[in-house]
Amino acid sequence: MEMPKIDASIVARKPAIVAALLQVLPPDAVIYDEIEVRAYECDALTAYKCPPLVAVLPRTTAEVAAVLRICHQMGVPVVPRGSGTSLAGGALPTGDCVILGVARMNDVLETDYPNRYIRVQSGRTNLSVTGAVESDGFFYAPDPSSQLACAIAGNIAMNSGGAHCLKYGVTTNNLLGVTMVQMDGTILEIGGAHLDAGGLDLLGVICGSEGQLGVVTEATLRILPKPEGARPVLIGFNSNEVAGECVSDIIKAGILPVAIEFMDRPCIEATEAFAKAGYPKCEALLIVEVEGSRAEIDEQLALIVAIARRHNPVEVREAADDDQAKRIWLGRKSAFGAMGQINDYMCLDGTIPVSSLPYVLRRIGEFSKHYGLDVANVFHAGDGNMHPLILYDANKPGDLELCEAFGADVLRLCVEVGGCLTGEHGVGIEKRDLMKVQFAPEDMEAQLMVKDVFDPKWLLNPAKVFPLDVTASRRA
Amino acid sequence: MTPANESELAEVIAGAQGPLRIVGGGTRGFGPDGGGEALHISALTGISLYEPGALTIVAGAGTPLAEVEAALAQGGQRLPFEVPDFRGLLGRDGVSTIGGVVAVNASGPRRIQAGACRDSLIGVRFVDGAGTILKNGGRVMKNVTGYDLVKLMAGSYGSLGVLTEVACKVLPRPEAEATLISGPLDGEAAVAAMSAALGSPFEVTGAGYVGGRVRLRIEGMAGSVAYRTGQLTKLMGAWDVVTDADSAALWAALRDVSDFAGQAGAVWRVSVKPSDMPGVLALLQDAQVMCDWGGGLIWAQVPDFGDAQAIPLRAHIANIGGHASLMRAGADTYAQVPAFHPEAPSVAALTAALRAKFDPRGILNPGRMG
């Protein structure tokens, strides 16, 4: 993966940059030792590493503004960082950048149950937002699988989703307002505890802008009352096609499960060997979860099971109690860990129209043969967000490149059938060079114009999202 | 002008010599327009894709809303955000289009549970002020590829570009609904009741305060609606209950603000956090009100003279957060009161800069949003 050439003139000014940052931050918030900055050399896309010039860990919006003002004046690129869990390289540094980490900004600022929102500093982890309100019967809905570690800042940057977004939506649907600092240090308040914008919906374009428009320091998030209960059913099928048809029929019947998860045979076998959840031996497996009171759950599951039976399932397993429900989810939740036991893997994130599912899975199987790399499919079937896991050996020369070529073919396929490159992980550097597959030059230009407005000098996370040749003149 | 297709529309915009006034069905725009030649999108019609199993519909921006809703009803589905019909309120008689719905981010009572129009919008095609045909988003409901210009276009009132096609996520149409109606309550008690209901796990899809009474709606499978009616009754006390068509009529009236249709006063649409509702009501003089969104949306009809109380209302909102749009008023009032809520200087600067990028000649609905 190509990254822009390090600007030697910035590196040469490191002492002056560090000195300026130490004027506005306490000593322990400025990390510039060459060994220590290595802690920030990558995110969860560990195939790519580059230590930053400096890393800063401000504690307040005012400190963030001061840092950005300095970097703006000195012409230093800034890469914002939440918890560093991006699978797309969204927080990957360049050697001439300042990493601005919000990890020390993790306070709850306000909890308001009558108005159903919480205001937090953006470094707070996703799960600890729910943790702050769950004893009072509320939760924060978006639940990316990294929710134990990932920060709200990163969730907003990538517009993160999760397993339950079929019902509850993704980050953008649960974000009410932000405090954001622009690259020149201007502090903006966008949105708030009220609903919707009075003018242009700037919040809508800020969410998912991958830290390129500003650094979000505080967020007002919608919280929801916890459902009375939830229960999954596991359904096994002898073909991917039939499983796909069953998903479509469930949705067409007017049922809206909170989650419909899909695993194919390679994924089932790998997780079974790892987690021993007792899954049936079959080609495709669905986990469908519904919410409500006991009676409401029974009513919905009866309908779902009746639809499933019309598709000759290999097995239908309803959870009779919490323990059985946990066992049904065990394999799915261990899927990534199980794959990691077998090999290194790359996790893709394209979305496809649900109707294209059988065709896309067949083509992925063909790619797998062509490249000689195994692939396992696990994904959110209700919304078509796929997560093919391509297995490779990082120690084998050429294997990573082979895996990347395979992944690119899969993502091109997603676009070809009417879908997109990324459903919830973001573009980062990982899918940057594929953007031309999805966007015509003018469609990309329209997005660049938005960045021109928020960050005219192109200093915020400049080497991400868009192909480097497309942004070269702006970054110059 | 009524371009026959998207490329003709692009030519018209590229060749425009002066301001254009963009018209869907002409049923929703409010405030003084900046004049200009009328540019109708009414020929850009047709549902190009409807996949019930994928909860997705794609239609030309000029497609009548009624056509979209009828197609969805056939598939047992609907637009999630409960589109208001403002023809009565605004005294219009056009045919509402799906493009117009998106352009104003029209969202009704279900907004509190299912989100606004912008939350269901997953893709757009539009022509910007330079005449360039652009697209963003697509037809899948999870998509974080590049910047989300889809949200930016929703509610931009044609000021960034002219929509030519929109894609929406849809939801199943429930088989039953019921509404619980309280006895007389003051504003504080009303907000407390609505907050308690919306903080319960019983999935309230409408919470309004009309005529001094709170109404709470639940929708879903018949058995579930009956169960939740019972649970909410335990929580709230023995309120009146109406079901199905009677319930739907109540919500249509609030959605369309029909109490104020055909009347003379100025009408404000105020979005604040619910607990700020009583304070806003106390501030307004000689006002009739209808409240929605658990108290977070206030429709207020006030005498249409002077500034229609804009100065105290907007000063109050500047302190508490939110926005107030003057949805209906006479020309004299609009001459002194901006229809849209004034933005903070830093936000206004960004907004103006975005408009200058997408519409460098300032010809798309100039002055519409202030």
Side-chain angles (χ1 to χ4, degrees), chain A residues 114-115 167 172-173 195-196 201 212 225-226 228 296 300 351 353 355 380 383 385 422 424 438 443 447, chain B residues 51 111 118-119 134-135 139 142 144-147 195 198-201 203 221 224 227-228 271 274-275 323:
Chain A
N115 293 307
K167 177 169 179 187
T172 191
N173 312 113
L195 293 175
D196 298 338
D201 188 356
Q212 291 197 309
K226 272 194 289 192
E228 287 182 88
E296 289 173 297
Q300 294 175 78
T351 305
S355 50
H380 314 305
D383 49 36
N385 187 193
T422 170
E424 58 183 2
Q438 186 170 332
D443 295 327
Q447 299 173 43
Chain B
E51 249 182 55
R111 193 269 170 261
R118 57 90 91 178
D119 293 295
L134 299 171
K135 58 185 178 306
R139 54 165 290 198
K142 264 173 93 179
V144 297
T145 322
Y147 295 169
S195 292
L198 289 166
S200 80
E203 291 201 58
M221 293 194 226
S224 167
Y227 165 76
R228 286 181 285 148
S271 176
S275 61
H323 49 86

Side-chain angles (χ1 to χ4, degrees), chain A residues 73-400:
Chain A
Q73 277 161 10
M74 301 184 88
V76 182
V78 172
V79 174
R81 178 181 168 106
S83 296
T85 59
S86 173
L87 291 165
L92 179 72
T94 50
D96 54 8
C97 88
V98 169
I99 282 276
L100 195 167
V102 293
R104 287 183 182 170
M105 300 176 60
N106 50 22
D107 286 344
V108 172
L109 302 170
E110 192 185 355
T111 309
D112 186 330
Y113 295 122
N115 293 307
R116 298 168 300 284
Y117 70 86
I118 183 169
R119 202 159 59 84
V120 298
Q121 285 187 308
S122 65
R124 194 166 181 89
T125 61
N126 175 293
L127 197 60
S128 73
V129 172
T130 288
V133 295
E134 69 183 338
S135 61
D136 294 297
F138 284 82
F139 73 112
Y140 175 60
D143 59 342
S145 54
S146 57
Q147 69 181 150
L148 186 64
C150 63
I152 291 298
N155 291 181
I156 293 170
M158 295 312 201
N159 189 13
S160 303
H164 292 81
C165 45
L166 186 58
K167 177 169 179 187
Y168 293 112
V170 295
T171 300
T172 191
N173 312 113
N174 293 278
L175 177 68
L176 296 170
V178 294
T179 301
M180 185 178 89
V181 188
Q182 280 179 264
M183 188 64 213
D184 66 2
T186 305
I187 299 171
L188 297 170
E189 295 290 340
I190 313 270
H194 61 281
L195 293 175
D196 298 338
L200 290 184
D201 188 356
L202 300 182
L203 189 62
V205 75
I206 288 166
C207 188
S209 61
E210 307 207 8
Q212 291 197 309
L213 302 186
V215 176
V216 170
T217 57
E218 296 175 13
T220 305
L221 306 169
R222 187 171 77 130
I223 51 172
L224 297 173
K226 272 194 289 192
E228 287 182 88
R231 213 186 312 148
V233 57
L234 178 152
I235 313 162
F237 294 98
N238 260 335
S239 89
N240 290 329
E241 276 89 345
V242 176
E245 282 165 18
C246 183
V247 170
S248 177
D249 284 353
I250 289 168
I251 290 172
K252 278 194 281 197
I255 307 162
L256 192 68
V258 280
I260 307 181
E261 297 290 297
F262 185 116
M263 293 165 72
D264 71 356
R265 177 188 279 279
C267 190
I268 298 165
E269 286 174 352
T271 55
E272 202 45 38
F274 177 70
K276 301 191 173 48
Y279 283 175
K281 289 191 189 312
C282 57
E283 287 301 315
L285 182 155
L286 298 178
I287 299 171
V288 185
E289 180 157 280
V290 296
E291 285 181 349
S293 67
R294 177 170 283 273
E296 289 173 297
I297 289 171
D298 287 344
E299 189 182 9
Q300 294 175 78
L301 286 184
L303 276 169
I304 289 166
V305 168
I307 291 164
R309 296 229 183 266
R310 291 207 294 272
H311 293 280
N312 300 317
V314 178
E315 179 154 350
V316 175
R317 193 180 296 172
E318 288 189 66
D321 54 35
D322 282 355
D323 188 53
Q324 288 183 18
K326 275 200 189 102
R327 290 197 69 79
I328 286 178
W329 275 111
L330 177 67
R332 167 62 185 90
K333 292 194 169 170
S334 323
F336 286 39
M339 293 329 230
Q341 290 286 308
I342 298 175
N343 228 327
D344 302 298
Y345 67 83
M346 174 189 260
C347 173
L348 303 178
D349 176 45
T351 305
I352 57 167
V354 180
S355 50
S356 308
L357 187 60
Y359 171 71
V360 169
L361 288 179
R362 198 162 58 242
R363 291 287 302 277
I364 290 176
E366 289 164 15
F367 293 150
S368 172
K369 284 202 189 83
H370 172 78
Y371 286 99
L373 295 176
D374 286 333
V375 62
N377 283 290
V378 49
F379 59 94
H380 314 305
D383 49 36
N385 187 193
M386 308 192 67
H387 290 311
L389 304 172
I390 304 174
L391 302 177
Y392 72 103
D393 182 350
N395 295 321
K396 189 171 155 191
D399 231 29
L400 173 65

